[in-house]
Structures are given as structure tokens and as C-alpha cells.
Amino acid sequence: ECSNAGLCNRATGKCECFDGYEGDACQRSSCPNACSGHGRCLSMKQLATMTEALPLSPATTYTGSETTTTWDEDKIFGCVCDSSWPVGIGASEVQEPEWFGPDCSLKHCPRGDDPETSTVETNCENVAAADGGYATGVAGNTCQVDCSNRGICDHSTGLCKCFSGYYGE
């Protein structure tokens, strides 16, 4: 009863779910911290179809026989974090969202290429997708380089603390 993820209140006949579970029968995982107001809580079935969901990969499906193959397709949920820029492995997309972390509570700082190197760190063409993704960036794909590698990003605010001799946001 209560999917072994909660206790049944005999007086009300309703389940009282343990932390991390929700639903009438505590039948699905809940998203951590409700995605902190900076993301959407979606099922694994929904996440599989999204090219902006981490880890990045081409869109696919996660369906089949719920009794054998994909029994968890509507039971396991995770956050897709918000971003003011397009996320993915395509041209004009960035490999990481603006907000990140399991609960979307962390914020990336402004990005840019490191002015002290000859390499273009923001070029993600043929670079494996961030966070263990299953694809590589195409021409015009961008890597997130917080603070142009010339400062420390405060992920709680999304602001850079620039190294001596450098300035910016």
C-alpha cells in the first residue's frame, strides 16, 4: 500500500508520502525542491523527447510495455532547468542551461572566451555534450565558460568575481 513510499492514514484513507514521493498512492518521485521555481518537473517519458534536457542527447522516446520494459516512464521525475538562451547541441545553442543543478537552484555566470588563451573555449563543435551527454556539438554550438575563465562564478547569484586586472559582469 502507498507504493511502499508512504503510510496510509487509516482515518482518511489517504497516503502520507515520504519525502521525495508524491501522488495519490505515492507512486512517483517528486522533483527536488520543486525545481526551485527555475525549471519544470517532468517524467522520464517526457524528458526523453527533449533535446534540452540533461544529459544532452538527440530526442528519443521512452515508451513500451509499462509492465515490463518501461514500468518507470511515468514514475521517475526530474527537472528541466530554465534558460534565457537555447540549450542543446545544435548551432546557436549552448550546452548548459542558465539555471542548473538537480533542483535548478544554481545560476551560471555570463560566458565568454578566455582572453589569455589562443583556444576558443566557447566553441563546442565536436565536443562531447556537457554533463555526460550522448552527442557532440555541431558547428556553431557553444560551451558555457563562466566568467571567461578570468574569475570565480558565484552560482548562488550568477555573478562573477573577476580576478585582478579583469572586469565585467
Side-chain angles (χ1 to χ4, degrees):
E1 79 188 11
C2 298
S3 305
N4 287 327
L7 301 173
C8 180
N9 181 325
R10 301 279 183 228
T12 64
K14 296 186 178 196
C15 290
E16 296 172 358
C17 302
F18 300 143
D19 285 344
Y21 295 92
E22 59 186 45
D24 293 341
C26 306
Q27 74 274 17
R28 64 180 173 268
S29 64
S30 53
C31 285
N33 200 25
C35 302
S36 304
H38 298 291
R40 296 170 287 152
C41 185
L42 301 171
S43 71
M44 189 174 352
K45 180 179 181 178
Q46 294 169 303
L47 291 168
T49 66
M50 302 177 74
T51 57
E52 71 268 29
L54 298 181
L56 295 175
S57 65
T60 186
T61 58
Y62 190 75
T63 59
S65 172
E66 282 193 53
T67 58
T68 58
T69 313
T70 58
W71 60 269
D72 54 358
E73 66 185 33
D74 288 318
K75 293 178 177 36
I76 298 176
F77 283 68
C79 296
V80 173
C81 300
D82 294 337
S83 189
S84 60
W85 54 75
V87 177
I89 54 173
S92 302
E93 294 179 328
V94 180
Q95 287 198 6
E96 295 183 48
E98 179 177 8
W99 293 92
F100 69 105
D103 66 351
C104 303
S105 64
L106 304 173
K107 187 176 183 184
H108 277 294
C109 286
R111 74 178 159 275
D113 188 45
D114 187 335
E116 297 291 330
T117 67
S118 60
T119 303
V120 180
E121 290 88 2
T122 55
N123 177 6
C124 262
E125 181 178 359
N126 295 321
V127 174
D131 294 324
Y134 301 102
T136 57
V138 301
N141 187 243
T142 303
C143 294
Q144 176 66 33
V145 181
D146 285 337
C147 307
S148 303
N149 286 336
R150 295 289 120 195
I152 302 295
C153 181
D154 180 345
H155 290 121
S156 66
T157 63
L159 298 174
C160 296
K161 181 174 181 185
C162 297
F163 298 151
S164 180
Y166 295 90
Y167 63 94
E169 296 179 56

